[in-house]
Amino acid sequence: MAKRKGLTLTDVLITVVVALVFSFIYSIWGGVYTALEPLGLHLNQLLYGMWFIAAVVAYLIIRKPGVALIAEFAAASGETIVMLQFDVMLIVYGLIQGLACEIVFAIVKYKSTSLMVAVIAGISAALATFPLDWYYGYLGQLATWNLLLMFGFRVLSGALIAGWLAHLLYRALKETGVLKLVGNGHAAEEGL
């Protein structure tokens, strides 16, 4: 039986379930992130990568075009529902982050589940958030050293949380055998 290249209903449902799980995590994570703000030096940026993880995890599971974008959109939308506070900009951030990840996955033709691809996707999502932050105006008020610190911490967080942690979660799921039932079957593709 030939595998379908496009998204199936099962693919979309799995993606949305992954996103909904992360939407709950995102809403809790916001409190942790905010708690670190008073410590200064942008230490809270070390946690920022959690908001990109849904796209990477969903892609690693499904590996089809559109999954990362759908996952981040659904996670951001779900977060607004969980928080009982509709926020259009949260959804825009989710779309931009998902699109940044989607570009990385398109470059590898949706075939690689390597740690490096996951890390690059996390970094890409982190980088994609800065133009929106600049648009809202508060980045221009920071001293150069402060902006570089914030930038560095956010990129590091994208690499470690959205990249490495997402890959760790994927590997754990793969070891259970449940991924044989979804996406591309997850045969031995780790060398890509």
Side-chain angles (χ1 to χ4, degrees), residues 11-35:
D11 295 334
V12 172
L13 290 174
I14 291 168
T15 301
V16 170
V17 168
V18 167
L20 289 177
V21 167
F22 281 108
S23 69
F24 281 98
I25 294 170
Y26 290 178
S27 64
I28 294 166
W29 203 251
V32 178
Y33 177 85
T34 303

mmCIF file of all heavy atoms in Angstrom, residues 11-35:
data_model
loop_
_atom_site.group_PDB
_atom_site.id
_atom_site.type_symbol
_atom_site.label_atom_id
_atom_site.label_comp_id
_atom_site.label_asym_id
_atom_site.label_seq_id
_atom_site.Cartn_x
_atom_site.Cartn_y
_atom_site.Cartn_z
ATOM 1 N N ASP A 11 -3.270 12.326 10.770
ATOM 2 C CA ASP A 11 -2.121 13.223 10.956
ATOM 3 C C ASP A 11 -2.543 14.525 11.614
ATOM 4 O O ASP A 11 -1.900 15.013 12.543
ATOM 5 C CB ASP A 11 -1.451 13.547 9.617
ATOM 6 C CG ASP A 11 -0.830 12.339 8.938
ATOM 7 O OD1 ASP A 11 -0.455 11.374 9.649
ATOM 8 O OD2 ASP A 11 -0.717 12.362 7.705
ATOM 9 N N VAL A 12 -3.638 15.099 11.114
ATOM 10 C CA VAL A 12 -4.121 16.370 11.652
ATOM 11 C C VAL A 12 -4.574 16.195 13.097
ATOM 12 O O VAL A 12 -4.249 17.028 13.960
ATOM 13 C CB VAL A 12 -5.254 16.951 10.778
ATOM 14 C CG1 VAL A 12 -5.881 18.175 11.436
ATOM 15 C CG2 VAL A 12 -4.727 17.303 9.393
ATOM 16 N N LEU A 13 -5.281 15.125 13.374
ATOM 17 C CA LEU A 13 -5.761 14.895 14.743
ATOM 18 C C LEU A 13 -4.603 14.688 15.719
ATOM 19 O O LEU A 13 -4.615 15.232 16.823
ATOM 20 C CB LEU A 13 -6.721 13.708 14.786
ATOM 21 C CG LEU A 13 -8.071 13.943 14.118
ATOM 22 C CD1 LEU A 13 -8.893 12.655 14.101
ATOM 23 C CD2 LEU A 13 -8.833 15.063 14.803
ATOM 24 N N ILE A 14 -3.604 13.931 15.315
ATOM 25 C CA ILE A 14 -2.433 13.726 16.179
ATOM 26 C C ILE A 14 -1.713 15.052 16.399
ATOM 27 O O ILE A 14 -1.305 15.376 17.519
ATOM 28 C CB ILE A 14 -1.489 12.668 15.589
ATOM 29 C CG1 ILE A 14 -2.151 11.290 15.667
ATOM 30 C CG2 ILE A 14 -0.141 12.658 16.304
ATOM 31 C CD1 ILE A 14 -1.459 10.213 14.868
ATOM 32 N N THR A 15 -1.572 15.837 15.349
ATOM 33 C CA THR A 15 -0.931 17.145 15.456
ATOM 34 C C THR A 15 -1.679 18.042 16.430
ATOM 35 O O THR A 15 -1.071 18.698 17.278
ATOM 36 C CB THR A 15 -0.849 17.813 14.065
ATOM 37 O OG1 THR A 15 -0.107 16.966 13.191
ATOM 38 C CG2 THR A 15 -0.206 19.178 14.143
ATOM 39 N N VAL A 16 -2.992 18.059 16.333
ATOM 40 C CA VAL A 16 -3.799 18.906 17.219
ATOM 41 C C VAL A 16 -3.732 18.398 18.663
ATOM 42 O O VAL A 16 -3.652 19.207 19.600
ATOM 43 C CB VAL A 16 -5.249 18.998 16.704
ATOM 44 C CG1 VAL A 16 -6.156 19.658 17.725
ATOM 45 C CG2 VAL A 16 -5.288 19.768 15.392
ATOM 46 N N VAL A 17 -3.723 17.095 18.862
ATOM 47 C CA VAL A 17 -3.596 16.561 20.224
ATOM 48 C C VAL A 17 -2.252 16.959 20.825
ATOM 49 O O VAL A 17 -2.174 17.397 21.985
ATOM 50 C CB VAL A 17 -3.796 15.029 20.249
ATOM 51 C CG1 VAL A 17 -3.375 14.439 21.585
ATOM 52 C CG2 VAL A 17 -5.246 14.680 19.949
ATOM 53 N N VAL A 18 -1.175 16.827 20.054
ATOM 54 C CA VAL A 18 0.149 17.268 20.517
ATOM 55 C C VAL A 18 0.090 18.748 20.875
ATOM 56 O O VAL A 18 0.574 19.174 21.934
ATOM 57 C CB VAL A 18 1.235 16.994 19.443
ATOM 58 C CG1 VAL A 18 2.533 17.719 19.774
ATOM 59 C CG2 VAL A 18 1.482 15.501 19.299
ATOM 60 N N ALA A 19 -0.527 19.539 20.009
ATOM 61 C CA ALA A 19 -0.629 20.984 20.241
ATOM 62 C C ALA A 19 -1.432 21.298 21.493
ATOM 63 O O ALA A 19 -1.055 22.181 22.273
ATOM 64 C CB ALA A 19 -1.259 21.657 19.027
ATOM 65 N N LEU A 20 -2.517 20.580 21.717
ATOM 66 C CA LEU A 20 -3.340 20.835 22.899
ATOM 67 C C LEU A 20 -2.596 20.490 24.188
ATOM 68 O O LEU A 20 -2.710 21.208 25.186
ATOM 69 C CB LEU A 20 -4.661 20.083 22.813
ATOM 70 C CG LEU A 20 -5.634 20.626 21.771
ATOM 71 C CD1 LEU A 20 -6.886 19.766 21.696
ATOM 72 C CD2 LEU A 20 -5.991 22.074 22.070
ATOM 73 N N VAL A 21 -1.839 19.418 24.155
ATOM 74 C CA VAL A 21 -1.019 19.080 25.330
ATOM 75 C C VAL A 21 -0.062 20.228 25.620
ATOM 76 O O VAL A 21 0.070 20.687 26.762
ATOM 77 C CB VAL A 21 -0.250 17.758 25.112
ATOM 78 C CG1 VAL A 21 0.821 17.561 26.164
ATOM 79 C CG2 VAL A 21 -1.219 16.579 25.089
ATOM 80 N N PHE A 22 0.590 20.721 24.570
ATOM 81 C CA PHE A 22 1.534 21.820 24.771
ATOM 82 C C PHE A 22 0.840 23.130 25.109
ATOM 83 O O PHE A 22 1.427 23.977 25.784
ATOM 84 C CB PHE A 22 2.481 21.964 23.589
ATOM 85 C CG PHE A 22 3.578 20.947 23.628
ATOM 86 C CD1 PHE A 22 3.596 19.894 22.735
ATOM 87 C CD2 PHE A 22 4.570 21.017 24.589
ATOM 88 C CE1 PHE A 22 4.603 18.930 22.796
ATOM 89 C CE2 PHE A 22 5.576 20.072 24.663
ATOM 90 C CZ PHE A 22 5.591 19.020 23.759
ATOM 91 N N SER A 23 -0.400 23.322 24.685
ATOM 92 C CA SER A 23 -1.101 24.558 25.049
ATOM 93 C C SER A 23 -1.301 24.628 26.566
ATOM 94 O O SER A 23 -1.200 25.707 27.156
ATOM 95 C CB SER A 23 -2.424 24.693 24.306
ATOM 96 O OG SER A 23 -3.363 23.741 24.728
ATOM 97 N N PHE A 24 -1.553 23.489 27.196
ATOM 98 C CA PHE A 24 -1.652 23.468 28.660
ATOM 99 C C PHE A 24 -0.286 23.748 29.284
ATOM 100 O O PHE A 24 -0.175 24.514 30.240
ATOM 101 C CB PHE A 24 -2.198 22.117 29.159
ATOM 102 C CG PHE A 24 -3.675 21.999 29.019
ATOM 103 C CD1 PHE A 24 -4.233 21.328 27.937
ATOM 104 C CD2 PHE A 24 -4.528 22.561 29.952
ATOM 105 C CE1 PHE A 24 -5.607 21.218 27.789
ATOM 106 C CE2 PHE A 24 -5.902 22.465 29.827
ATOM 107 C CZ PHE A 24 -6.445 21.793 28.748
ATOM 108 N N ILE A 25 0.738 23.136 28.735
ATOM 109 C CA ILE A 25 2.099 23.373 29.235
ATOM 110 C C ILE A 25 2.479 24.838 29.051
ATOM 111 O O ILE A 25 3.042 25.459 29.953
ATOM 112 C CB ILE A 25 3.102 22.430 28.546
ATOM 113 C CG1 ILE A 25 2.822 20.983 28.954
ATOM 114 C CG2 ILE A 25 4.543 22.827 28.874
ATOM 115 C CD1 ILE A 25 3.588 19.942 28.162
ATOM 116 N N TYR A 26 2.150 25.417 27.899
ATOM 117 C CA TYR A 26 2.452 26.826 27.627
ATOM 118 C C TYR A 26 1.809 27.735 28.680
ATOM 119 O O TYR A 26 2.428 28.687 29.144
ATOM 120 C CB TYR A 26 1.946 27.256 26.253
ATOM 121 C CG TYR A 26 2.656 26.688 25.060
ATOM 122 C CD1 TYR A 26 2.216 26.996 23.783
ATOM 123 C CD2 TYR A 26 3.750 25.843 25.175
ATOM 124 C CE1 TYR A 26 2.844 26.497 22.652
ATOM 125 C CE2 TYR A 26 4.376 25.331 24.049
ATOM 126 C CZ TYR A 26 3.920 25.666 22.793
ATOM 127 O OH TYR A 26 4.536 25.169 21.677
ATOM 128 N N SER A 27 0.549 27.461 29.003
ATOM 129 C CA SER A 27 -0.149 28.335 29.950
ATOM 130 C C SER A 27 0.479 28.262 31.345
ATOM 131 O O SER A 27 0.555 29.260 32.047
ATOM 132 C CB SER A 27 -1.637 28.004 29.999
ATOM 133 O OG SER A 27 -1.838 26.700 30.487
ATOM 134 N N ILE A 28 0.959 27.095 31.727
ATOM 135 C CA ILE A 28 1.658 26.955 33.009
ATOM 136 C C ILE A 28 3.045 27.589 32.911
ATOM 137 O O ILE A 28 3.506 28.255 33.839
ATOM 138 C CB ILE A 28 1.765 25.464 33.398
ATOM 139 C CG1 ILE A 28 0.369 24.890 33.664
ATOM 140 C CG2 ILE A 28 2.680 25.274 34.602
ATOM 141 C CD1 ILE A 28 0.327 23.382 33.736
ATOM 142 N N TRP A 29 3.691 27.389 31.785
ATOM 143 C CA TRP A 29 5.045 27.893 31.559
ATOM 144 C C TRP A 29 5.099 29.418 31.658
ATOM 145 O O TRP A 29 6.102 29.984 32.074
ATOM 146 C CB TRP A 29 5.536 27.428 30.192
ATOM 147 C CG TRP A 29 7.018 27.386 30.036
ATOM 148 C CD1 TRP A 29 7.777 28.237 29.276
ATOM 149 C CD2 TRP A 29 7.925 26.458 30.618
ATOM 150 N NE1 TRP A 29 9.099 27.881 29.354
ATOM 151 C CE2 TRP A 29 9.216 26.788 30.180
ATOM 152 C CE3 TRP A 29 7.773 25.371 31.476
ATOM 153 C CZ2 TRP A 29 10.342 26.088 30.548
ATOM 154 C CZ3 TRP A 29 8.893 24.669 31.851
ATOM 155 C CH2 TRP A 29 10.159 25.027 31.387
ATOM 156 N N GLY A 30 4.020 30.073 31.271
ATOM 157 C CA GLY A 30 3.960 31.527 31.355
ATOM 158 C C GLY A 30 4.201 32.028 32.765
ATOM 159 O O GLY A 30 4.877 33.041 32.970
ATOM 160 N N GLY A 31 3.674 31.312 33.757
ATOM 161 C CA GLY A 31 3.894 31.690 35.157
ATOM 162 C C GLY A 31 5.344 31.540 35.575
ATOM 163 O O GLY A 31 5.895 32.388 36.283
ATOM 164 N N VAL A 32 5.975 30.470 35.120
ATOM 165 C CA VAL A 32 7.393 30.243 35.432
ATOM 166 C C VAL A 32 8.241 31.318 34.761
ATOM 167 O O VAL A 32 9.142 31.892 35.383
ATOM 168 C CB VAL A 32 7.837 28.831 34.973
ATOM 169 C CG1 VAL A 32 9.305 28.610 35.252
ATOM 170 C CG2 VAL A 32 6.981 27.758 35.639
ATOM 171 N N TYR A 33 7.934 31.598 33.514
ATOM 172 C CA TYR A 33 8.647 32.625 32.744
ATOM 173 C C TYR A 33 8.544 33.990 33.441
ATOM 174 O O TYR A 33 9.533 34.692 33.632
ATOM 175 C CB TYR A 33 8.045 32.677 31.338
ATOM 176 C CG TYR A 33 8.620 33.724 30.427
ATOM 177 C CD1 TYR A 33 9.772 33.479 29.700
ATOM 178 C CD2 TYR A 33 7.989 34.961 30.265
ATOM 179 C CE1 TYR A 33 10.297 34.427 28.837
ATOM 180 C CE2 TYR A 33 8.507 35.915 29.407
ATOM 181 C CZ TYR A 33 9.662 35.646 28.696
ATOM 182 O OH TYR A 33 10.176 36.590 27.849
ATOM 183 N N THR A 34 7.326 34.341 33.847
ATOM 184 C CA THR A 34 7.093 35.621 34.511
ATOM 185 C C THR A 34 7.794 35.685 35.864
ATOM 186 O O THR A 34 8.285 36.743 36.261
ATOM 187 C CB THR A 34 5.585 35.858 34.680
ATOM 188 O OG1 THR A 34 4.973 35.793 33.379
ATOM 189 C CG2 THR A 34 5.284 37.196 35.301
ATOM 190 N N ALA A 35 7.858 34.566 36.561
ATOM 191 C CA ALA A 35 8.516 34.536 37.870
ATOM 192 C C ALA A 35 10.013 34.851 37.767
ATOM 193 O O ALA A 35 10.606 35.374 38.712
ATOM 194 C CB ALA A 35 8.313 33.170 38.531
#
